[in-house]
């Protein structure tokens, strides 16, 4: 079995590009990094536009069909894999969380784009024909600017990337994620960030409501209104997701994973995992192993 669950940073994937950024056409990138077909984790933001190809790709264990003029976005820490059919091409951008920090007055600006929040259901977008040509042009400009990285080139790249994000966000949400986010959206993002930080130790909505200085009823109403699920389900989903991420790392046994997620024992963790996934942790691990090695 695979012994290590790979975590890639930009430096491990780039040649001579800026250490915070990698921009490439997708076909040569894929040819060089064919090992990325297996499940792996990124420490950076990751954007891909497919212009040609078929097959499947998965983000945090949710599968999507590969289609021309599909664009997807990933935040740091998410798990990803590919299984392509036939020739595939397009464009790829990898960039660090620090890449925009000195450029933007609001360092949290990227969080205003719903496709960078880590919600898998918002991250894969089929581009309408009316924007495909404009998006293609932006990627071609990014390829050109990245060929000679100077300070002004890098600032132009940042400006072009923001134009790309805004164009896609406008197409997807008609501007609801642009500008200054509304109070409820900001509150929901704060809740998600707290869950990402504390899910292993804080499992009840009332714990997060206290950290947000709101009532549990307010938090549940917010989640039901904006996500269609109660706050407790969002917390449970995050625990299940982390369990899946850990289970594909064969360096850790089930007891170690249960302990890392703060379950009292292996039996309780197994019951919890099976209740919300329909599989035991061992069955999930075996299924993922078979799927990866059948490619």
């Amino acid at each position: 079995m695979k012994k290590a669950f790979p975590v890639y940073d930009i430096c491990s994937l780039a040649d001579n590009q800026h250490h915070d950024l990698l921009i490439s056409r997708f076909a040569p990138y894929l040819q060089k990094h064919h090992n990325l077909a297996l499940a792996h984790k990124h420490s950076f933001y990751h954007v891909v536009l497919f212009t040609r190809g078929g097959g499947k790709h998965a983000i945090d264990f949710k599968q999507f069909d590969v289609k021309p003029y599909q664009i997807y976005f990933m935040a740091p820490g998410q798990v990803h894999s590919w299984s392509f059919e036939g020739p595939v091409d397009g464009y790829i951008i990898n960039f660090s969380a620090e890449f925009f920090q000195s450029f933007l007055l609001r360092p949290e600006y990227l969080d205003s784009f719903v496709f960078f929040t880590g919600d898998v259901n918002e991250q894969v977008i089929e581009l309408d024909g009316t924007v495909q040509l404009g998006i293609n042009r932006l990627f071609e400009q990014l390829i050109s600017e990245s060929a000679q990285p100077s300070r002004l080139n890098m600032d132009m790249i940042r400006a072009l990337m923001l134009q790309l994000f805004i164009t896609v966000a406008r197409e997807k949400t008609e501007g609801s994620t642009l500008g200054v986010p509304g109070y409820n959206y900001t509150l929901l993002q704060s809740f998600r960030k707290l869950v990402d930080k504390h899910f292993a130790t804080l499992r009840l909505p009332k714990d997060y409501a206290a950290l947000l200085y709101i009532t549990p009823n307010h938090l549940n109403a917010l989640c039901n209104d904006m996500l269609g699920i109660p706050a407790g389900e969002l917390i449970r989903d995050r625990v299940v997701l982390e369990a899946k991420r850990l289970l594909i790392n064969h360096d850790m046994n089930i007891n170690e994973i249960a302990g890392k997620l703060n379950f009292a024992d292996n039996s309780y963790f197994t019951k919890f995992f099976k209740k919300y996934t329909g599989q035991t942790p061992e069955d999930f691990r075996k299924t993922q192993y078979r799927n990866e090695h059948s490619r």
Side-chain angles (χ1 to χ4, degrees):
M1 284 191 172
K2 180 179 56 171
K3 290 187 175 181
F5 176 44
V7 180
Y8 293 103
D9 58 27
I10 296 175
C11 294
S12 65
L13 301 178
D15 287 328
N16 298 316
Q17 294 209 39
H18 195 279
H19 69 278
D20 281 329
L21 179 72
L22 185 153
I23 297 173
S24 175
R25 300 188 193 281
F26 191 72
Y29 178 87
L30 180 63
Q31 185 176 16
K32 181 174 182 180
H33 302 294
H34 53 85
N35 57 307
L36 296 181
L38 300 179
H40 59 279
K41 186 182 288 189
H42 297 159
S43 65
F44 47 85
Y45 289 92
H46 174 69
V47 182
V48 170
L49 171 69
F50 294 117
T51 57
R52 179 189 183 193
K56 303 281 186 182
H57 69 107
I59 301 174
D60 278 338
F61 310 99
K62 181 170 182 176
Q63 281 208 340
F64 300 91
D65 293 325
V66 173
K67 301 176 183 177
Y69 288 95
Q70 176 192 93
I71 189 168
Y72 73 81
F73 301 81
M74 286 178 56
Q78 294 191 279
V79 172
H80 187 221
S81 62
W82 292 317
S83 179
F84 294 126
E85 296 174 0
V88 182
D89 206 356
Y91 305 90
I92 184 168
I93 305 172
N94 296 333
F95 65 100
S96 71
E98 295 76 31
F99 184 65
F100 283 104
Q101 282 186 352
S102 62
F103 191 71
L104 295 172
L105 182 62
R106 289 170 46 211
E108 78 288 354
Y109 182 75
L110 290 184
D111 292 341
S112 68
F113 296 104
V114 69
F115 43 71
F116 278 138
T117 62
D119 183 349
V120 177
N121 297 311
E122 302 286 354
Q123 291 179 287
V124 179
I125 301 163
E126 313 294 336
L127 294 176
D128 187 86
T130 58
V131 299
Q132 289 178 6
L133 183 59
I135 295 293
N136 246 47
R137 286 173 178 164
L138 285 170
F139 273 105
E140 284 296 330
Q141 287 179 272
L142 285 164
I143 292 285
S144 176
E145 293 289 342
S146 66
Q148 296 179 324
S150 67
R151 185 186 66 79
L152 290 178
N153 287 96
M154 296 305 291
D155 283 350
M156 179 61 78
I157 286 170
R158 291 180 177 94
L160 289 168
M161 286 171 62
L162 290 175
Q163 187 177 347
L164 171 68
F165 302 156
I166 291 170
T167 300
V168 175
R170 185 186 294 168
E171 170 74 6
K172 177 177 171 57
T173 64
E174 298 181 347
S176 63
T177 61
L178 304 182
V180 180
Y183 171 74
N184 282 344
Y185 182 83
T186 301
L187 188 59
L188 178 63
Q189 290 307 100
S190 297
F191 174 46
R192 278 177 158 156
K193 287 180 180 179
L194 286 171
V195 172
D196 271 342
K197 185 176 181 180
H198 299 293
F199 65 86
T201 54
L202 301 181
R203 299 285 173 84
L204 299 176
K206 67 177 184 179
D207 298 325
Y208 293 95
L211 292 173
L212 293 166
Y213 301 101
I214 59 176
T215 67
N217 285 341
H218 185 174
L219 181 58
N220 267 316
L222 173 74
C223 291
N224 278 312
D225 183 51
M226 299 194 72
L227 301 175
I229 59 173
E233 188 171 336
L234 188 147
I235 300 165
R236 289 194 302 272
D237 286 349
R238 184 63 183 85
V239 176
V240 170
L241 173 58
E242 193 66 20
K244 289 179 176 179
R245 289 175 174 177
L246 293 172
L247 282 164
I248 63 172
N249 177 0
H250 293 279
D251 277 350
M252 297 184 71
N253 62 42
I254 306 300
N255 281 328
E256 289 171 327
I257 293 171
K260 187 174 180 66
L261 295 175
N262 209 34
F263 285 89
D265 55 47
N266 183 9
S267 176
Y268 181 35
F269 169 60
T270 297
K271 289 177 182 176
F272 171 89
F273 189 85
K274 187 172 183 179
K275 179 179 179 180
Y276 293 109
T277 68
Q279 292 181 296
T280 66
E282 285 286 4
D283 287 341
F284 174 83
R285 173 173 272 178
K286 290 175 183 176
T287 299
Q288 292 297 310
Y289 179 81
R290 284 197 302 269
N291 288 345
E292 287 195 0
H293 288 78
S294 66
R295 291 170 182 169

